[in-house]
Amino acid sequence: MIWARSLVKRYGEFTAVAGVDFEVWPGECFGLLGPNGAGKSSAIRMLTGLSPTSGGELMVCGLDVARNPRQVKALVGVVPQEDNLDPDFRVRKNLEVHARYFGVQGRVARERALQALDLVRLRERQNDRVDTLSGGMKRRLLIARALMNDPPVLVLDEPTTGLDPQSRHLLWELLRSLKRQGITILLTTHYMEEAAHLCDRIVIMDNGRILVEGRPGELIGRHAGSEVLELRPPPERYEALLARLQALGFDAQDGGGALVVFGAEGAAIGVEATGELVESARRPTNLEDVFLRLTGRELRDE
């Protein structure tokens, strides 16, 4: 459904996307992950026809995005990061007006709007003002709006940012339902738990390049193992213990308040060898461990 080869995006002298390759198969949920500035948003802007490519090839549903931008836009539903619903229209009217951009009007537009509102559980709010909706309801309405052109591909850019856990899980359920209907989903998110729950495959980007690609479970096993040991030494011993473990050959990293040591069984022996008595806990590894190992822990500005 989506095919990219040597895809490049430049802004003047700055290269935001530096020749990436990826494929998204029909009916899968594909995750595009990375820290701020990794190139995710630039890739999505090219995919959705909002920004021209600077090099390489990008195909959606067999169409070249550079040559057929209007046709591609008609095949893709987009849920942006920001809330750009029209506050001057009621809930259902937002959907019907959006449908006109795709040549869908009158009775057909109304029927599609009601079907979409049923799907996102907002039919009872169809005549309400948009500004009376909660944050979670607005995100669901954005998804309903993205479905008005009956797209085979749905692109969601950080759809659950700022939502409470109940709203987030409801949105996950909605996305799983769309996937069961055969819609192909491309998702960006900063929530690693979300990516692990929803995505069939993911890529992790940084500095405009793809670092790894695979199924979440495969990537966890390959890059983080099965367990980590978290150590919480006194602050005055933190750096010394980290240096000592690394000198002994253990894969230890600064975890921002806790030392994270991969290979928990061997690490426990290593801590005993250092003669340190510190608070420790073993836990299963997760996708966030992989993400931080590959992209680092330093704060990235927007």
Side-chain angles (χ1 to χ4, degrees):
M1 298 296 282
I2 302 172
W3 185 87
R5 284 293 179 273
S6 303
L7 183 62
V8 175
K9 181 60 186 180
R10 299 187 187 92
Y11 299 98
E13 297 298 316
F14 174 69
T15 300
V17 179
V20 302
D21 300 342
F22 64 89
E23 298 171 356
V24 182
W25 299 103
E28 77 172 340
C29 181
F30 184 85
L32 190 59
L33 311 182
N36 291 330
K40 308 184 304 297
S41 294
S42 293
I44 286 180
R45 288 179 63 82
M46 289 187 285
L47 173 65
T48 55
L50 295 177
S51 182
T53 62
S54 302
E57 297 178 89
L58 181 58
M59 310 282 287
V60 176
C61 299
L63 295 173
D64 188 317
V65 174
R67 295 188 180 127
N68 306 281
R70 290 177 63 87
Q71 293 94 321
V72 168
K73 286 180 181 180
L75 294 171
V76 178
V78 181
V79 180
Q81 287 185 38
E82 70 279 0
D83 166 17
N84 59 359
L85 296 164
D86 194 322
D88 295 327
F89 296 136
R90 304 278 172 166
V91 166
R92 194 184 76 222
K93 192 69 171 178
N94 259 274
L95 305 188
E96 294 174 349
V97 169
H98 185 75
R100 293 177 190 170
Y101 292 111
F102 302 95
V104 181
Q105 303 183 53
R107 180 178 57 83
V108 176
R110 185 174 186 276
E111 289 176 355
R112 281 197 190 179
L114 291 174
Q115 290 171 359
L117 290 173
D118 281 338
L119 181 66
V120 301
R121 306 183 190 181
L122 286 175
R123 183 164 181 153
E124 72 280 3
R125 305 296 296 268
Q126 63 176 295
N127 294 315
D128 290 0
R129 293 180 58 86
V130 167
D131 57 11
T132 67
L133 302 182
S134 68
M137 289 177 178
K138 288 178 180 178
R139 300 307 295 175
R140 282 148 51 200
L141 184 57
L142 284 167
I143 292 176
R145 189 184 68 179
L147 297 173
M148 290 303 291
N149 56 318
D150 195 22
V153 176
L154 188 63
V155 176
L156 301 107
D157 196 2
E158 300 183 26
T160 62
T161 297
L163 298 187
D164 59 62
Q166 290 84 357
S167 296
R168 185 176 301 134
H169 280 267
L170 181 57
L171 219 61
W172 290 0
E173 181 184 336
L174 171 59
L175 294 181
R176 291 191 190 100
S177 173
L178 293 172
K179 185 171 173 286
R180 287 193 295 269
Q181 295 175 33
I183 294 177
T184 302
I185 298 173
L186 189 148
L187 171 74
T188 77
T189 179
H190 284 303
Y191 296 112
M192 296 300 107
E193 180 190 10
E194 181 166 279
H197 272 82
L198 295 177
C199 296
D200 299 293
R201 290 185 302 123
I202 63 170
V203 297
I204 298 178
M205 293 184 66
D206 200 10
N207 297 314
R209 300 184 183 278
I210 290 176
L211 304 179
V212 292
E213 179 273 327
R215 294 183 176 276
E218 293 172 354
L219 294 181
I220 292 170
R222 190 189 317 160
H223 296 280
S226 60
E227 282 189 332
V228 294
L229 182 69
E230 289 191 348
L231 305 172
R232 299 184 184 276
E236 65 273 12
R237 299 294 303 150
Y238 191 94
E239 294 296 336
L241 180 56
L242 174 60
R244 187 177 297 181
L245 286 169
Q246 291 175 338
L248 289 171
F250 292 102
D251 188 356
Q253 295 184 355
D254 179 358
L259 297 179
V260 179
V261 191
F262 295 89
E265 183 175 345
I269 298 171
V271 172
E272 292 178 7
T274 67
E276 297 279 354
L277 294 175
V278 299
E279 180 185 345
S280 66
R282 291 190 188 193
R283 63 165 174 80
T285 52
N286 54 46
L287 193 57
E288 188 164 308
D289 292 316
V290 177
F291 185 89
L292 292 173
R293 290 197 83 186
L294 295 174
T295 66
R297 295 177 180 270
E298 68 274 9
L299 183 64
R300 309 290 184 92
D301 293 326
E302 294 284 355

